[in-house]
Amino acid sequence: MTPAIDVHDLTRRFGTFTAVDAISFHVDDGEVFGFLGANGAGKTTAIKMLIGLLSPTSGRASVAGFDVLTQAEEVRRRIGYMSQRFSLYDDLTVRENIALYGGIYGLTDAEIRERGNALIDELKLGGAADELVSALPLGWKQKLAFSVAMLHQPAVVFLDEPTGGVDPITRRQFWEMIYAAAARGTTVFVTTHYLDEAEYCDRVSIMVDGRIAAMGTPVELKSEFGVRTLDELFVRLARPEVASGPLPGVRAEG
Amino acid sequence: MARRASPLTAFVTKELRHILRDRQTLTILLLLPLAMVVLFGFALRNDVNDIRIAFVDPAPDYATLALRARFAGNGRFNPVATAATTSAIEPLFRRGKADVAVVFESGFAGHLAAGLPANILIISDASDPNTGSRMQAYAGAVIASWQAELHAARGGVQIVTRTRMRFNPTLESVNLFVPGLIALVLTLVTALMTAISLSREKERGTLEILLVSPLRPWQIIVGKVLPYLALAFANVITALLAAWLVFDVPFRGSITLLLIASALYALVGLALGVFIAASTSSQRAAMLGALVGTMLPSTLLSGMIFPIASLPGWLQPVTYVIPARWFIIIARGIMLKGVGLNDLWAPILALLVMLAALMLVAIRSFKPRLA
């Protein structure tokens, strides 16, 4: 059976600059995969190739069993995407946003109604369902954006720094939602700058200068590199000059 | 079979909600044609109304009385004084109480009856030279029409005045403005609003989500364009109604043909808006781009205000790529001259060619694969 995401020697160059340098990895069905890397390491370029916003210079990748280059339509139908920027429409209500994305992904009116109601109950948004999204607090907005990205029950969901700027309690709730989605069989591909969150992932990869420098379960990685936390490992890989010096406690900046 | 809205329907619904929810913008857009027709019609028109007229009539007779009555009955003129000598009305001019004076010679009726030249002098306040010459022209027109009737009735009538009529015999500049105003309103609603709405999606990052979804690029463009096309139609109808109800602007040709031409012109504007949004990276840049790239040329280089023939020679060829130029030819032809497709195929073809070229560029610029 094909993995949910299968990547072979995927490369993207901009002029002479190689943003993504022949990376290969796979993500299994139902896995929560953490895609880590410092800013500028090539994460965003890699994601854009996987969701069909950018074409690879060379190499190939498949998502949900379909080639991202030749079967882009099939891929689009089966993935969900939550970008770094808030992707719902502020001047539409919660229900109107749900109706829009449900409609775009070809759900029936009945499906939109049922799943919309379930989603609103789950997020305890009952009272705010017909309010404009702009009136919601940031934490709710992010949870809503995730739920809307999951509305069409995609095989794979891509989350690009989904918890940026939200409070610790909401982050915890967010990760509970991610686990619930994975338990229902959706593969989760998530980037984050919070390394405590990376510990929640089934497996993580760390990208440095366009290459994957380390990949495995958090436990494997920590023992392989002899570090106590992923934080420590991240700094050592991404900023070797800092890690080798006597500067304990330096965090990788977001 | 379960009921299912098509992705395009869902998208158009969303667009309509954006438009309907932004009440202020919508109100402005809906009232715009009305405001512009009324503004241009009343304030910016070159016509002169309510001209205060004084008569110098040293020896009133049936002919001078008849002509004075003709002035009084004409809606434009408002008689303020009658005097026996020119010097008596001089103070009126100086104090700005009169705009025009009509001076009859004595024995006016006698000269007419004898078939001799009967002299009239029209004096006008030319402190604003444009207004002055225009007022002379109006006064001359009243005299000329009276003379023509008299001549038809008994022949051999000679009245000598110094003014002569210009083009546009009804002297109604609002007639010439209305087609240009329709072009301007359409440009604003189509090019400017689409450019803003699309670049907003780009700026906020929602466009990325749409491009990752199963929506196809053409569906995104059509979804953006359809609601504004409807708004553009409402605007054309409002402008025409305002022109007709307030200013009696004639409509001599086919309304269907004008609506089709308006739709064609609106589509050109919409494609231009998509292109502008695609080639700019922020809402602000898109807005400025649309204003400078479409509104300015539509006003200044289209023949709406300045005749193209009066532009410098090197600038005239530029007007060929201004869509408004062609639309104004079409709209003036249909509304004022009552001509049809036989005479208007060339400007319509020009708009079609522009539309095809712009559509190609617009769809191309919205490829989901960004590089």
Side-chain angles (χ1 to χ4, degrees):
Chain A
M1 154 164 187
T2 21
I5 302 176
D6 200 10
V7 175
H8 289 283
D9 295 328
L10 195 66
T11 301
R12 172 70 203 202
R13 276 188 283 272
F14 296 100
T16 56
F17 173 67
T18 305
V20 173
D21 192 0
I23 59 173
S24 299
F25 63 92
H26 72 272
V27 179
D28 290 322
D29 265 334
E31 210 176 2
V32 178
F33 188 81
F35 196 59
L36 314 182
N39 291 331
K43 283 181 319 216
T44 303
T45 307
I47 291 187
K48 282 194 167 172
M49 287 191 279
L50 294 180
I51 61 177
L53 283 180
L54 206 60
S55 47
T57 308
S58 64
R60 62 190 167 80
S62 73
V63 171
F66 294 95
D67 189 281
V68 294
L69 195 60
T70 58
Q71 294 166 303
E73 291 297 318
E74 300 294 331
V75 171
R76 277 193 197 123
R77 247 186 273 283
R78 288 168 178 78
I79 61 172
Y81 173 50
M82 183 178 163
S83 77
Q84 285 176 27
R85 288 189 285 175
F86 181 62
S87 49
L88 299 179
Y89 291 94
D90 268 338
D91 58 338
L92 300 184
T93 67
V94 173
R95 271 189 208 283
E96 287 166 351
N97 270 291
I98 293 171
L100 166 67
Y101 284 107
I104 287 178
Y105 281 92
L107 302 189
T108 64
D109 292 356
E111 280 171 328
I112 293 175
R113 209 168 33 247
E114 280 160 27
R115 292 185 199 181
N117 286 337
L119 181 165
I120 287 165
D121 287 344
E122 203 178 312
L123 295 181
K124 301 188 177 62
L125 276 172
D130 293 307
E131 300 278 324
L132 296 186
V133 164
S134 56
L136 299 181
L138 179 69
W140 278 16
K141 283 188 187 178
Q142 293 297 87
K143 287 190 281 183
L144 180 62
F146 175 70
S147 303
V148 168
M150 294 294 299
L151 198 65
H152 58 292
Q153 299 173 344
V156 184
V157 67
F158 292 86
L159 309 174
D160 198 0
E161 292 178 28
T163 54
V166 292
D167 65 71
I169 295 168
T170 312
R171 271 172 61 194
R172 185 171 287 271
Q173 291 169 340
F174 200 96
W175 274 90
E176 281 163 11
M177 292 172 69
I178 290 180
Y179 277 128
R184 287 193 299 265
T186 296
T187 306
V188 180
F189 187 94
V190 57
T191 75
T192 179
H193 283 303
Y194 297 106
L195 291 172
D196 57 323
E197 288 184 351
E199 306 262 4
Y200 303 151
C201 296
D202 295 326
R203 278 193 308 143
V204 299
S205 72
I206 300 179
M207 242 184 129
V208 179
D209 295 336
R211 294 170 165 277
I212 290 179
M215 183 158 52
T217 67
V219 175
E220 280 169 7
L221 287 179
K222 280 184 280 189
S223 72
E224 182 185 336
F225 288 88
V227 291
R228 277 166 300 133
T229 61
L230 282 181
D231 203 303
E232 217 176 302
L233 173 62
F234 185 89
V235 175
R236 185 193 291 187
L237 291 172
R239 309 267 305 272
E241 72 286 358
V242 173
S244 60
L247 285 169
V250 170
R251 280 187 65 98
E253 290 297 320
Chain B
M1 171 93 191
R3 237 169 60 78
R4 183 193 307 264
S6 79
L8 183 59
T9 316
F11 191 72
V12 172
T13 309
K14 154 202 176 279
E15 287 301 320
L16 282 173
R17 285 193 170 124
H18 285 318
I19 294 174
L20 294 176
R21 194 138 297 159
D22 189 353
R23 286 285 157 80
Q24 292 180 341
T25 309
L26 182 63
T27 310
I28 293 173
L29 289 180
L30 285 176
L31 292 181
L32 189 73
L34 202 62
M36 282 177 91
V37 168
V38 170
L39 265 181
F40 273 73
F42 278 125
L44 299 181
R45 68 202 301 187
N46 303 325
D47 302 345
V48 189
N49 272 322
D50 197 23
I51 304 168
R52 288 158 309 170
I53 190 166
F55 299 104
V56 178
D57 196 353
D61 52 42
Y62 75 90
T64 64
L65 288 176
L67 196 46
R68 277 158 56 182
R70 183 58 74 95
F71 272 106
N74 181 298
R76 278 187 209 286
F77 292 94
N78 177 20
V80 288
T82 308
T85 63
T86 312
S87 58
I89 57 154
E90 207 36 56
L92 292 177
F93 268 112
R94 278 206 304 271
R95 276 181 270 136
K97 302 268 186 197
D99 302 308
V100 174
V102 170
V103 182
F104 299 98
E105 62 175 338
S106 37
F108 188 77
H111 288 156
L112 281 180
L116 297 171
N119 288 299
I120 296 181
L121 173 66
I122 301 170
I123 308 169
S124 65
D125 177 356
S127 47
D128 175 347
N130 281 330
T131 316
S133 65
R134 220 166 273 267
M135 290 187 301
Q136 282 204 338
Y138 290 134
V142 172
I143 296 167
S145 83
W146 185 74
Q147 179 187 10
E149 282 171 33
L150 208 60
H151 190 81
R154 61 177 207 220
V157 173
Q158 291 184 56
I159 297 179
V160 182
T161 54
R162 275 184 219 148
T163 53
R164 65 193 161 83
M165 288 286 287
R166 302 180 168 193
F167 170 70
N168 189 6
T170 58
L171 296 173
E172 287 282 359
S173 52
V174 69
N175 289 2
L176 280 173
F177 270 132
V178 167
L181 286 179
I182 295 177
L184 208 56
V185 172
L186 283 180
T187 311
L188 196 86
V189 172
T190 57
L192 185 65
M193 293 313 294
T194 337
I196 290 177
S197 136
L198 205 49
S199 60
R200 179 166 49 206
E201 301 245 10
K202 225 165 119 175
E203 202 170 277
R204 294 199 181 159
T206 45
L207 185 64
E208 204 176 66
I209 306 290
L210 296 176
L211 289 175
V212 171
S213 83
L215 272 182
R216 297 173 183 254
W218 71 262
Q219 288 177 317
I220 297 177
I221 291 182
V222 169
K224 279 277 165 206
V225 159
L226 271 183
Y228 285 108
L229 197 60
L231 199 55
F233 259 103
N235 280 329
V236 173
I237 306 268
T238 315
L240 286 178
L241 277 179
W244 179 58
L245 291 175
V246 185
F247 296 108
D248 290 326
V249 172
F251 198 98
R252 305 200 168 96
S254 148
I255 183 114
T256 318
L257 187 58
L258 183 69
L259 286 180
I260 292 173
S262 302
L264 181 59
Y265 180 71
L267 284 172
V268 172
L270 292 163
L272 211 54
V274 172
F275 173 67
I276 289 169
S279 38
T280 50
S281 52
S282 73
Q283 269 189 77
R284 200 177 315 182
M287 198 161 123
L288 280 175
L291 281 174
V292 175
T294 66
M295 294 298 286
L296 278 185
S298 296
T299 318
L300 301 176
L301 299 179
S302 64
M304 171 193 175
I305 296 176
F306 308 113
I308 288 165
S310 71
L311 296 174
W314 61 269
L315 202 52
Q316 290 188 21
V318 178
T319 64
Y320 285 96
V321 296
I322 310 290
R325 174 206 162 118
W326 304 108
F327 178 74
I328 288 176
I329 293 176
I330 297 169
R332 280 185 182 161
I334 295 173
M335 291 175 61
L336 306 182
K337 298 183 197 158
V339 296
L341 209 49
N342 281 342
D343 298 292
L344 296 173
W345 63 269
I348 288 177
L349 189 67
L351 285 182
L352 276 172
V353 169
M354 282 186 206
L355 179 63
L358 281 169
M359 289 287 261
L360 210 67
V361 178
I363 302 254
R364 201 168 258 257
S365 61
F366 256 88
K367 273 190 168 176
R369 303 245 168 216
L370 299 174

